[in-house]
Amino acid sequence: MSVLILEPEAYSPAAVALYRQLAPVHLATAPDPSNVEFLVVRLGHYIGRELLSAFPRLRLIATPTTGLNHIDTAYCDEVGLRVVSLRDCPSAIEQVTSTSELAFGLLLALLRHIPAAARDVVESGRWDRDRFQARQVQGLRLGLIGFGRIGRHVAGYGRAFGMHVRACDPYLDDAAFSDQQVERAELADLLTASDILSIHAKYTAETDGLIGQAEIAQMRAGVLLINTARGEILDEEAAALALRRGHLAGIAVDVLARENLVAGDLGRNPLVAAARDGFNVLVTPHIGGASRDAMHLTEQSLAAYIVNEVVHCG
């Protein structure tokens, strides 16, 4: 029996030590894949039938993420593979603010044209403030699509900046909103009345394509759209087209649909293409949770859960 940490770069030493309580730990590759029973992954690989076929004795996959679209969970269910994620460690992830901070950073960068202004100075040698006139964030209407942990964090940041914050989430009761001093709204109302929309919904079969052509058409002209949840929630073709036509004023995403598949050919992605054509688009490579603080905390919490709750108590 052994544990394979598939992407070990800067992995939490404390997490590695916990996994060593179960079995010998291998980093990146295993000398005998047929002996691997625990596979620990991040987001660099698509964990599907082809990859998993190399591990005939595998019984558990551990991923320090909340989203699972990098894993073929249907296949795992079919063959009896257990998938353990941060969804199983809710108390630990309440302390993680990295993705929330990135979402609000993208909001400010998009609104104030910060990357474009910096490039213009450095690459073009211009000092032209009038090219980058924008609006101040105070007083703008922020609509949050999804009001879980990250949505709640972003709501707090928005209120601190003097924004009018509203949110929608059909899976929560009214108290979840009133406790955060955030007005509850229906999705249709958020679409038509927000200056900035930020997506924080969980990716499920129900939220696949949640923000599509019809929803984008309902948005007020000049809205800014941010997605740090999962790429599949947003219709990227429809969003890029609305941007090119001037209906959307800007888009910032930290996630792309099927990002494990498109990473080798990013130019074909409509949002990346729009950014390359000079539109107000920011694309970052799923760095929301990629802070050392967050990664080590989540990696250690997940390892502790597996060792103490899954293996020793399971």
Side-chain angles (χ1 to χ4, degrees):
M1 180 172 71
S2 65
V3 178
L4 173 60
I5 300 178
L6 200 56
E7 300 162 60
E9 294 80 6
Y11 212 87
S12 164
V16 175
L18 283 165
Y19 286 124
R20 286 198 173 111
Q21 296 180 22
L22 300 177
V25 174
H26 303 295
L27 305 179
T29 60
D32 183 6
S34 67
N35 200 36
V36 174
E37 293 192 18
F38 300 89
L39 181 64
V40 182
V41 304
R42 282 175 172 163
L43 289 167
H45 299 77
Y46 181 71
I47 313 301
R49 183 186 304 262
E50 182 178 354
L51 185 147
L52 294 173
S53 65
F55 308 106
R57 294 181 60 190
L58 191 66
R59 59 190 180 103
L60 183 143
I61 300 169
T63 177
T65 63
T66 51
L68 296 175
N69 59 327
H70 59 300
I71 298 174
D72 187 341
T73 53
Y75 175 71
C76 292
D77 290 342
E78 179 185 324
V79 298
L81 270 175
R82 182 168 181 179
V83 178
V84 180
S85 74
L86 291 180
R87 297 178 185 181
D88 299 294
C89 310
S91 60
I93 62 173
E94 281 297 326
Q95 306 172 53
V96 177
T97 58
S98 296
T99 301
S100 318
E101 293 164 0
L102 177 72
F104 207 79
L106 289 173
L107 183 158
L108 293 172
L110 196 65
L111 178 68
R112 297 304 307 269
H113 308 290
I114 294 171
R119 283 196 307 269
D120 201 53
V121 172
V122 175
E123 297 177 6
S124 303
R126 285 190 287 258
W127 192 261
D128 187 354
R129 67 199 299 261
D130 291 333
R131 288 170 55 87
F132 303 102
Q133 288 186 14
R135 300 182 67 186
Q136 64 180 25
V137 69
Q138 179 171 293
L140 294 183
R141 292 167 290 187
L142 173 62
L144 303 174
I145 301 171
F147 200 55
R149 169 180 57 95
I150 296 173
R152 293 194 300 273
H153 291 163
V154 174
Y157 305 153
R159 291 201 315 275
F161 272 78
M163 304 184 79
H164 301 294
V165 184
R166 299 195 302 162
C168 69
D169 195 318
Y171 303 102
L172 299 178
D173 59 24
D174 290 342
F177 298 84
S178 59
D179 288 348
Q180 300 295 319
Q181 299 178 319
V182 169
E183 180 184 344
R184 182 171 201 162
E186 296 299 322
L187 177 59
D189 192 23
L190 282 189
L191 296 176
T192 58
S194 299
D195 300 302
I196 302 173
L197 284 159
S198 192
I199 301 172
H200 302 290
K202 290 181 180 179
Y203 176 60
T204 65
E206 292 180 335
T207 61
D208 188 280
L210 177 68
I211 306 302
Q213 182 177 357
E215 289 74 24
I216 292 170
Q218 294 177 55
M219 296 176 188
R220 58 187 294 122
V223 74
L224 300 178
L225 181 60
I226 299 161
N227 185 17
T228 54
R230 283 298 183 270
E232 288 81 1
I233 297 174
L234 174 66
D235 184 334
E236 296 170 339
E237 292 277 1
L241 182 60
L243 181 77
R244 290 179 181 273
R245 290 177 173 173
H247 182 63
L248 297 181
I251 303 172
V253 299
D254 185 48
V255 288
L256 295 176
R258 299 171 296 281
E259 58 191 45
N260 292 97
L261 302 178
V262 305
D265 193 11
L266 286 171
R268 297 180 61 184
N269 180 275
L271 296 179
V272 175
R276 289 178 174 177
D277 288 341
F279 289 90
N280 190 22
V281 180
L282 302 178
V283 182
T284 52
H286 207 144
I287 61 172
S291 71
R292 283 188 297 273
D293 311 274
M295 293 176 78
H296 282 192
L297 172 63
T298 55
E299 289 159 359
Q300 185 176 348
S301 299
L302 185 69
Y305 175 79
I306 290 169
V307 171
N308 298 321
E309 304 294 332
V310 177
V311 177
H312 291 167
C313 297

